[in-house]
Amino acid sequence: MSTAPSESRAESRPYHHGDLSRALVDAARKILETDGPAALSLRAVAREAGVSPAAPYHHFKDKAELLEAVAHEGWHELDEALAKARASADGDHGRMSDLGVAYVCFARDNPALYRVMYDRSRDKDALPDQMKEGGAYCQVRDTLAEHADNGVAEIDLELATIAAWCAGHGLAEMIGFKQFAALKTQLGGEEAFLRAVFEHLGMFAKFARD
Amino acid sequence: MSTAPSESRAESRPYHHGDLSRALVDAARKILETDGPAALSLRAVAREAGVSPAAPYHHFKDKAELLEAVAHEGWHELDEALAKARASADGDHGRMSDLGVAYVCFARDNPALYRVMYDRSRDKDALPDQMKEGGAYCQVRDTLAEHADNGVAEIDLELATIAAWCAGHGLAEMIGFKQFAALKTQLGGEEAFLRAVFEHLGMFAKFARD
DNA sequence: AAGATTATCTTGACGGCGTTCAGATTGGTG
DNA sequence: CACCAATCTGAACGCCGTCAAGATAATCTT
């Protein structure tokens, strides 16, 4: 009576609610953006989606599985951000540092989402599955390969990709630290700071090689 | 009566329990090692220490403050590990990679503790205070300075230290990932893998510089 | 030495959490 | 239309962080 169930809801609308899984993921992301990871309880997500606390259990085995879905979306969007950065690189054939900057900026702009993404990875002791297809990891490797066009050993490419990924992730987690504020302004902004750090990785690598 | 309060307990033994703050931190670390970060509840810590759930509140303002104390200890031990690695470097005057390996190995051997350490840092958006005195951060910077003995700009040293720290942290968080297992055995062990990744940072840095 | 003071710890309670289960409701199928 | 399976609700369990009130014990004052 009072509730009109014939709301034109996208396409599938499989049952009562109309794609509740989708709504739950959206609600989770909204809470993440608004109130941060600490406020992301399963009950709060259900509340935000307008269902009872037990409803999510018909779509996700537990809280971890919902977060997994959120993280999956995050990785997908990171892939897109990197692809865009690679396509519109301001250099000749896609500067490596543009990828790094895009990666860190994604983490800076979506801190809570990025945290969920990595927390899930750590709990599984594994990189996300996407990386084995055409995901972010492969994009980094391919860009590295483009630069070193005159033949690089497979293993060197793999190790360099891992190295780049570690540097990017490390910087992504620390970009917001207060201690770097002075250095950022001194270098003329956050992006300049990022590029500078990436470029100074070589100094460490050189000394690590003795 | 039944409880003998005159147990010779170290030195201070200020009140009823005898340095409960200390016992709480120890209990927290024991739980961390045994059952991981997910099991680290304030009530469990109190249980482990043999006191009521409310007792910790007379020594720590809340759970976060207890974790802060645990993290503080962790940073201190990391400092010591790095200092030891720096002192007993197998190279001429302290190889840079020995520091990196020591850092990552500390994280690998104390995964739960390392996670608490960094989670606390992220919540404060700041590196731990120790780093400003003679802590791990300064050790990395000093070692870098030793290698580049013929005068390096202050800012380059700072940026290289940050770069090294990011790489170390990134690798520390990923060292356990399953995807790297094959590569590790192929390179002859985990330590060789670590050194190889560190050395390949230069490849990324070179391309980042264009 | 005795009383007052202060720090420490316990008990009990509150609301929120993740999760489960029995039962109500509803969409799809024969 | 009757049935079935999928979906959702309501209530409950045990755990959590935290707080307030009271008991207990060490320290301080005199």
Side-chain angles (χ1 to χ4, degrees):
Chain A
M1 304 277 183
S2 53
T3 62
S6 56
E7 187 98 15
S8 69
R9 252 203 184 286
E11 33 185 353
S12 58
R13 193 166 69 76
Y15 288 105
H16 305 171
H17 178 281
D19 208 350
L20 181 57
S21 338
R22 183 65 271 170
L24 288 171
V25 172
D26 289 341
R29 295 197 54 173
K30 182 173 177 185
I31 292 174
L32 269 183
E33 285 172 21
T34 310
D35 306 317
L40 187 60
S41 72
L42 199 50
R43 291 178 107 107
V45 171
R47 225 176 289 136
E48 172 77 28
V51 293
S52 84
Y57 286 86
H58 294 266
H59 301 269
F60 301 97
K61 161 171 143 288
D62 55 9
K63 184 184 180 183
E65 201 170 283
L66 169 59
L67 293 192
E68 192 94 35
V70 172
H72 189 78
E73 267 195 21
W75 288 114
H76 187 66
E77 287 167 25
L78 176 57
D79 287 350
E80 286 177 345
L82 291 194
K84 203 165 110 183
R86 207 150 79 105
S88 69
D90 55 5
D92 35 353
H93 55 325
R95 290 205 323 199
M96 204 57 228
S97 63
D98 288 329
L99 261 194
V101 170
Y103 184 98
V104 179
C105 285
F106 177 88
R108 183 203 52 189
D109 296 337
N110 310 277
L113 177 60
Y114 185 76
R115 197 150 164 180
V116 168
M117 287 159 60
Y118 246 94
D119 282 349
R120 288 290 98 202
S121 289
R122 279 187 297 206
D123 288 351
K124 295 190 302 180
D125 286 335
L127 292 161
D129 301 336
Q130 299 178 270
M131 294 195 177
K132 285 302 156 193
E133 303 157 16
Y137 184 88
C138 293
Q139 292 195 57
V140 174
R141 191 179 52 195
D142 293 350
T143 306
L144 277 170
E146 280 172 22
H147 282 76
D149 29 28
N150 47 338
V152 186
E154 174 86 21
I155 192 166
D156 285 332
L157 200 56
E158 205 68 32
L159 286 168
T161 308
I162 294 172
W165 196 270
C166 290
H169 171 60
L171 197 41
E173 288 217 318
M174 311 216 243
I175 182 64
F177 282 4
K178 294 168 193 158
Q179 281 94 343
F180 301 154
L183 212 45
K184 278 187 222 169
T185 58
Q186 188 179 344
L187 287 167
E190 198 160 64
E191 190 176 316
F193 170 74
L194 287 179
R195 289 189 200 274
V197 172
F198 281 137
E199 288 168 9
H200 281 77
L201 279 167
M203 190 168 162
F204 172 54
K206 186 157 76 81
F207 297 149
R209 210 178 292 110
D210 252 345
Chain B
M1 303 287 173
S2 53
T3 62
S6 57
E7 187 99 15
S8 70
R9 251 203 184 288
E11 32 184 353
S12 60
R13 193 168 68 76
Y15 289 105
H16 305 172
H17 179 282
D19 208 349
L20 180 57
S21 338
R22 184 64 273 177
L24 288 170
V25 173
D26 288 342
R29 295 197 55 173
K30 181 172 177 185
I31 292 173
L32 268 182
E33 285 171 22
T34 310
D35 307 318
L40 187 60
S41 73
L42 200 49
R43 292 179 107 108
V45 171
R47 225 175 289 135
E48 173 77 28
V51 293
S52 83
Y57 285 87
H58 294 268
H59 300 269
F60 301 98
K61 162 171 141 289
D62 54 11
K63 183 185 179 182
E65 202 170 281
L66 170 59
L67 294 192
E68 192 93 35
V70 173
H72 188 78
E73 266 195 22
W75 288 114
H76 187 65
E77 287 166 24
L78 175 57
D79 288 350
E80 286 176 346
L82 292 193
K84 202 165 108 185
R86 208 150 80 105
S88 68
D90 55 5
D92 34 354
H93 55 324
R95 288 204 324 197
M96 203 58 228
S97 64
D98 288 329
L99 262 194
V101 170
Y103 184 98
V104 179
C105 285
F106 177 87
R108 183 204 52 188
D109 295 337
N110 310 277
L113 177 59
Y114 185 77
R115 197 150 165 181
V116 168
M117 287 158 60
Y118 246 94
D119 282 348
R120 288 292 97 200
S121 288
R122 279 186 298 207
D123 288 351
K124 296 190 301 179
D125 285 336
L127 293 161
D129 301 336
Q130 297 178 271
M131 295 195 177
K132 286 302 157 192
E133 304 158 14
Y137 184 88
C138 292
Q139 291 195 57
V140 174
R141 191 180 51 196
D142 293 350
T143 307
L144 276 169
E146 280 172 22
H147 282 76
D149 28 30
N150 48 340
V152 187
E154 174 87 21
I155 192 166
D156 284 333
L157 200 56
E158 205 69 32
L159 286 168
T161 308
I162 294 171
W165 195 271
C166 291
H169 171 60
L171 196 42
E173 287 217 318
M174 311 215 242
I175 183 63
F177 282 3
K178 295 168 194 157
Q179 282 93 344
F180 301 154
L183 212 46
K184 277 187 223 168
T185 58
Q186 188 178 344
L187 287 167
E190 199 160 65
E191 190 175 318
F193 170 74
L194 287 179
R195 289 188 200 272
V197 172
F198 282 138
E199 288 168 9
H200 281 77
L201 279 167
M203 189 168 161
F204 172 55
K206 185 157 77 79
F207 296 150
R209 211 178 291 110
D210 254 344

